[in-house]
Amino acid sequence: MSIVININKNIFLLQMKSTCYAFGVDDKGLLRHLYWGERIESCEDFDMPHIDEVSTNDPPAEITREEFAVYGGLRYKEYCLKAAFYDGTREVVYRYCGYEIAEGENCDELIITLKDIHYELIIKLHYKVYADYDLMERSVEVENLSDKTIEIERLHSAQFHIPHEGLNFTNVHGHWGAEQQKFTQKLSYGKVIIENRRGISTHNHNPYFILDRNASENSGDVYFGALRMSGNFSGIAEQTPYGETLVQLGINSHDFMLKLTPGEIFAAPPVICGYTCDGFESMSHRLHHFALDTIMRKGLRPVLYNSWEATGFAVNCDEQMKLAQKAKEIGAELFVLDDGWFGERDGIDNGLGDWYVNSKKFPNGLNELVDKVKSLGMLFGIWVEPEMVNPKSQLYKNHPDWIYHFDTRESDTSRGQYVLNMTKTEVQTFVYEMLDDLLSKYNIDYIKWDANRPISQTSPQKDIWYKHIDAIYSIAAKLKKKHKNVLFEACASGGGRIDYGILGIFDDFWTSDNTDAYDRLFIQDSYSYVYPIKAMRSWVTDCPNFISQRNIPLKFRYHSAMMGSLGIGCNILKFTEDDTALSKEMIAFYKQIRPIVQEGDFYRLSGAGTSDYFVYEYLKGGEGLVFVFLPQSKVGHRGTTVRLRGLCKKSIYTLETDGGEITKSGDYLMNRGIDLRLEGDYASTVIKLKRNN
Ligand code: DGJ
């Protein structure tokens, strides 16, 4: 059992493989944080410190490390919960009521119950302890046992206290075509806030925090947490005046208000979190292992071909069949028909919402293409954007009231489309039935679910932001239950939907519309900090790249895309014989190494910005890979030496390099390292390694 309780002292210790987390209840019934760090065996050692008012300006609640701070009393700090009661009282005063312990499949769970001293508001704090992964999952549930509605104005899922100042805070910034741009900044006094207010997007910030004390890949304290929810989140990191750092993560309270009706329970999304003293690599490994083992769908992802960049909206059956034929020839396993196949769709302005097959583009119906793809022995996938509708569509004509709108305002369009009000039951039924019908009628193996604009004009209710995404999760989960073999890809104008919420609902994730192989090295490097490699769909596309206008050799483009789940998005009908031959070779090689790439341990040996070289290692069992990229040779360029990671010291390894085989001990490879030298611009190679004993 990983939950240890000292009943006399009311102290709870959550024990994981090498870390632990402690909190307790004080004599006033307040829940107070005690410790988060390296494992301490004895629960007896922990005491609840006594707190006094330091001065009238530093009241006890302000200086206490509260486990779950609420709004009310002499508290001026960040809080997780703010509630308003029917009589105008706008503060929560809780007391600890007790705990329960539950045993899960991979975890033990501690549930702490708190209750307002006057109102029938119950707060349950959940702590799932994944001891083997050195991770916890924290969440909160509020329940209204009264006969009056309680208004919840803020509900952050968890708060963390880190007993240090001067930490580094890492997250990503970005926008369409430039997702996952990692930034690190020193925390000082004041607050850093990361958030999303758009309902759809994670193009900008991503719902996680990483706080470190001058950590490197392999050393130093790192505290981290990731929210299991897509959409409007907020994260706050604050160095307080009391010598510590406070972090919170949860639903964004911007434009949020939940009316908790009598008898209603609301569960806020969990935060998966951990601490390591071994640097960023160990953080990534813990999250990757946890995601692969417990969150994501099992199995290797197929090599896909997607026709979007080749044809845009100008889809026609004959050309798609030719693309499918060629995709098969080079080795693709899944053919995905993207936007443009339905309704009267010939650009961004029309057809969205009308999910019938366009008879001009497919005069003999969709099955002509599906059958062709199947006869080639490939899987068939199709694009949809179910949450959206164009003003120019039959769906909008029939149901103008189905979009988010205000009656007295002109409705906003973005990319020429409106957003359907997914919180309406009739809209949810429409979306579910449309997709169920599509999946039942055609032999479809893969759905690419896109969402190309943010939400606005969100109707009178302020709870739509999370209800919208909740509806998407439920519809996708219901469809997957019925159509068990179908894989679902989450795409939102590129990398607009990747987070630990959607990771458990969808199966494949579009990283960015920016497929420039050099830009992708930065995007992929930063993605790998938190998200598992299998969740990173990467395509090889044509040059000059439509975003960067850069020309990069096909081999480098393949190597860059092979770092994740490989896809091809080129106009393969224009391939030269050499392009075709290289593609066949690369895809065949990828299929060989795919289990190591998609399911192995990933190491950033010399990543974005640390040298001219980008070097990454993957290890699975006794097999491994080293991806080496040199985007540009500089003046006086020399090679580089890279020390490998994760090998068995005493084993002997054989490395297959461009210059021939090298046989060395694990010890040597990890301490002395290997010399690498590439020449020219956009040079790249993949070294295979194998353990011999
Ligand atoms: C945005 C996606 O990211 C692209 O891959 C493509 O599916 C287009 N939408 C289609 O409109």
Side-chain angles (χ1 to χ4, degrees):
M1 173 60 70
S2 46
I3 298 167
V4 186
I5 303 170
N6 183 327
I7 301 280
N8 298 331
K9 292 187 183 173
N10 260 340
I11 286 176
F12 303 89
L13 178 63
L14 312 180
Q15 293 281 28
M16 288 153 274
K17 207 163 58 187
S18 62
T19 59
C20 72
Y21 186 93
F23 64 95
V25 187
D26 72 8
D27 49 0
K28 296 179 197 70
L30 272 192
L31 222 53
R32 287 167 54 189
H33 176 76
L34 294 174
Y35 177 76
W36 190 19
E38 278 191 75
R39 186 173 162 119
I40 295 170
E41 290 308 323
S42 162
C43 186
E44 307 304 312
D45 287 344
F46 289 94
D47 295 309
M48 180 60 65
H50 180 73
I51 43 157
D52 281 323
E53 188 176 79
V54 174
S55 78
T56 51
N57 276 308
D58 303 281
E62 194 69 2
I63 57 174
T64 307
R65 292 174 179 174
E66 285 189 271
E67 187 61 12
F68 189 78
V70 292
Y71 176 77
L74 290 160
R75 284 191 191 86
Y76 305 94
K77 60 190 180 185
E78 291 296 337
Y79 47 86
C80 288
L81 171 65
K82 184 175 187 187
F85 300 94
Y86 64 94
D87 58 3
T89 302
R90 293 193 304 112
E91 69 168 15
V92 174
V93 180
Y94 75 78
R95 286 291 174 267
Y96 167 75
C97 299
Y99 72 88
E100 288 161 66
I101 287 182
E103 264 179 59
E105 207 181 308
N106 302 308
C107 64
D108 296 323
E109 183 173 6
L110 173 67
I111 306 158
I112 300 288
T113 303
L114 313 174
K115 185 182 170 304
D116 188 275
I117 54 169
H118 182 82
Y119 302 94
E120 294 297 310
L121 173 66
I122 307 290
I123 307 160
K124 288 193 174 177
L125 305 183
H126 292 254
Y127 297 81
K128 288 189 177 168
V129 186
Y130 292 91
D132 292 345
Y133 296 92
D134 254 319
L135 293 173
M136 289 186 301
E137 193 179 84
R138 292 185 55 186
S139 61
V140 56
E141 228 175 50
V142 282
E143 182 174 8
N144 179 359
L145 289 181
S146 75
D147 56 1
K148 306 256 179 353
T149 295
I150 300 172
E151 293 185 345
I152 306 289
E153 290 175 34
R154 171 150 163 170
L155 187 59
H156 267 172
S157 300
Q159 164 168 306
F160 302 88
H161 297 265
I162 299 168
H164 306 292
E165 298 178 307
L167 295 172
N168 301 310
F169 174 83
T170 297
N171 197 263
V172 288
H173 68 92
H175 52 82
W176 173 82
E179 296 88 339
Q180 300 283 337
Q181 303 298 304
K182 184 161 83 74
F183 70 90
T184 298
Q185 64 191 56
K186 197 125 209 112
L187 285 188
S188 179
Y189 296 105
K191 292 170 194 170
V192 170
I193 295 175
I194 46 155
E195 63 169 2
N196 172 28
R197 298 182 174 194
R198 299 166 190 235
I200 301 280
S201 167
T202 49
H203 289 108
N204 318 106
H205 299 306
N206 206 277
Y208 65 77
F209 68 85
I210 301 175
L211 285 160
D212 76 273
R213 285 218 295 164
N214 298 328
S216 69
E217 276 299 305
N218 312 125
S219 69
D221 292 332
V222 185
Y223 301 83
F224 55 95
L227 186 68
R228 298 190 68 174
M229 184 193 82
S230 314
N232 282 12
F233 72 91
S234 67
I236 301 171
E238 180 187 10
Q239 179 170 301
T240 74
Y242 304 108
E244 61 153 2
T245 301
L246 185 100
V247 204
Q248 287 188 5
L249 204 54
I251 294 175
N252 199 338
S253 45
H254 161 79
D255 199 35
F256 168 83
M257 209 265 283
L258 164 70
K259 289 194 179 197
L260 199 65
T261 52
E264 191 179 347
I265 299 179
F266 179 78
V271 176
I272 179 85
C273 51
Y275 157 81
T276 170
C277 59
D278 292 324
F280 301 115
E281 179 185 288
S282 129
M283 168 193 78
S284 301
H285 284 181
R286 286 175 198 189
L287 287 169
H288 290 187
H289 291 162
F290 181 72
L292 286 179
D293 295 352
T294 73
I295 302 182
M296 289 183 73
R297 185 192 189 116
K298 300 273 180 292
L300 298 173
R301 300 297 179 259
V303 176
L304 71 74
Y305 176 78
N306 179 301
S307 59
W308 171 246
E309 286 200 23
T311 68
F313 295 101
V315 169
N316 75 69
C317 189
D318 286 346
E319 194 184 15
Q320 292 291 316
M321 290 199 295
K322 284 185 196 141
L323 284 164
Q325 182 82 46
K326 184 76 185 185
K328 174 69 188 176
E329 185 192 334
I330 59 173
E333 298 160 315
L334 159 67
F335 181 84
V336 184
L337 167 64
D338 210 279
D339 200 349
W341 60 269
F342 53 89
E344 301 313 307
R345 183 86 160 159
D346 53 21
I348 56 172
D349 287 328
N350 51 7
L352 266 185
D354 298 340
W355 300 107
Y356 59 84
V357 178
N358 182 302
S359 57
K360 280 185 230 105
K361 298 177 181 181
F362 293 90
N364 304 317
L366 187 62
N367 269 336
E368 191 176 358
L369 175 62
V370 180
D371 293 346
K372 170 75 181 176
V373 170
K374 296 285 160 154
S375 72
L376 290 165
M378 279 192 287
L379 303 167
F380 179 75
I382 198 160
W383 180 95
V384 286
E385 193 175 1
E387 297 151 74
M388 306 287 168
V389 63
N390 282 129
K392 282 191 220 150
S393 68
Q394 202 48 51
L395 182 72
Y396 182 64
K397 276 200 192 90
N398 296 346
H399 302 285
D401 55 325
W402 276 13
I403 62 165
Y404 291 119
H405 71 287
F406 295 121
D407 286 342
T408 57
R409 305 284 180 212
E410 195 180 323
S411 297
D412 297 330
T413 50
S414 176
R415 212 193 191 217
Q417 62 201 49
Y418 299 138
V419 187
L420 291 175
N421 185 341
M422 293 301 304
T423 65
K424 286 181 179 250
T425 319
E426 57 272 35
V427 177
Q428 293 169 7
T429 308
F430 165 78
V431 169
Y432 174 78
E433 285 178 356
M434 176 279 282
L435 286 165
D436 180 37
D437 195 48
L438 197 64
L439 290 171
S440 307
K441 238 195 221 145
Y442 302 102
N443 198 349
I444 293 171
D445 306 286
Y446 187 93
I447 291 282
K448 175 175 174 182
W449 183 312
D450 206 345
N452 280 297
R453 60 153 286 185
I455 302 175
S456 64
Q457 299 172 312
T458 53
S459 69
Q461 312 91 312
K462 288 188 183 169
D463 54 6
I464 80 97
W465 297 104
Y466 73 84
K467 278 198 172 155
H468 181 103
I469 195 65
D470 219 40
I472 306 306
Y473 285 4
S474 310
I475 293 169
K478 195 166 156 200
L479 287 164
K480 284 175 72 176
K481 206 164 169 202
K482 179 157 180 205
H483 304 276
K484 289 207 164 42
N485 296 326
V486 178
L487 291 171
F488 281 72
E489 174 183 348
C491 164
S493 253
R497 259 185 194 159
I498 176 65
D499 52 70
Y500 265 79
I502 209 138
L503 210 59
I505 306 285
F506 283 69
D507 311 301
D508 220 0
F509 307 88
W510 186 217
T511 316
S512 174
D513 277 352
N514 186 342
T515 50
D516 175 283
Y518 175 61
D519 287 350
R520 268 301 183 105
L521 291 183
F522 291 87
I523 292 174
Q524 295 175 176
D525 186 283
S526 131
Y527 194 97
S528 75
Y529 274 75
V530 172
Y531 297 109
I533 301 302
K534 193 196 271 186
M536 182 167 68
R537 187 51 87 168
S538 314
W539 297 357
V540 176
T541 56
D542 287 329
C543 275
N545 181 274
F546 83 102
I547 289 184
S548 67
Q549 296 305 315
R550 212 180 263 132
N551 281 301
I552 292 183
L554 187 57
K555 187 171 156 207
F556 188 102
R557 280 182 270 151
Y558 264 104
H559 283 157
S560 170
M562 282 158 67
M563 283 189 57
S565 292
L566 176 65
I568 293 94
C570 303
N571 189 343
I572 45 181
L573 297 179
K574 292 194 176 153
F575 265 9
T576 61
E577 274 179 29
D578 286 351
D579 295 340
T580 303
L582 184 64
S583 295
K584 284 183 183 171
E585 187 194 315
M586 288 287 162
I587 295 172
F589 178 55
Y590 180 76
K591 287 179 184 165
Q592 255 183 49
I593 63 173
R594 168 168 45 188
I596 314 172
V597 172
Q598 294 188 7
E599 293 179 343
D601 288 339
F602 179 73
Y603 299 86
R604 291 171 293 264
L605 297 187
S606 158
T610 49
S611 86
D612 294 348
Y613 286 86
F614 293 69
V615 189
Y616 302 100
E617 179 187 334
Y618 296 74
L619 266 190
K620 187 166 196 258
E623 288 188 281
L625 303 160
V626 182
F627 279 72
V628 189
F629 300 92
L630 177 68
Q632 197 180 38
S633 277
K634 298 219 178 111
V635 79
H637 171 74
R638 290 198 299 263
T640 187
T641 300
V642 167
R643 296 197 265 181
L644 302 190
R645 301 270 311 148
L647 306 180
C648 300
K649 282 186 186 171
K650 293 197 175 129
S651 295
I652 302 296
Y653 292 84
T654 301
L655 278 65
E656 277 177 41
T657 73
D658 290 342
E661 276 191 6
I662 303 174
T663 299
K664 300 282 178 206
S665 65
D667 234 1
Y668 180 93
L669 293 169
M670 291 197 293
N671 291 313
R672 160 61 180 76
I674 49 170
D675 296 330
L676 299 166
R677 187 182 169 92
L678 300 180
E679 262 151 20
D681 292 343
Y682 298 117
S684 60
T685 188
V686 179
I687 298 168
K688 275 175 82 176
L689 69 95
K690 208 176 165 78
R691 193 172 66 212
N692 301 332
N693 56 340

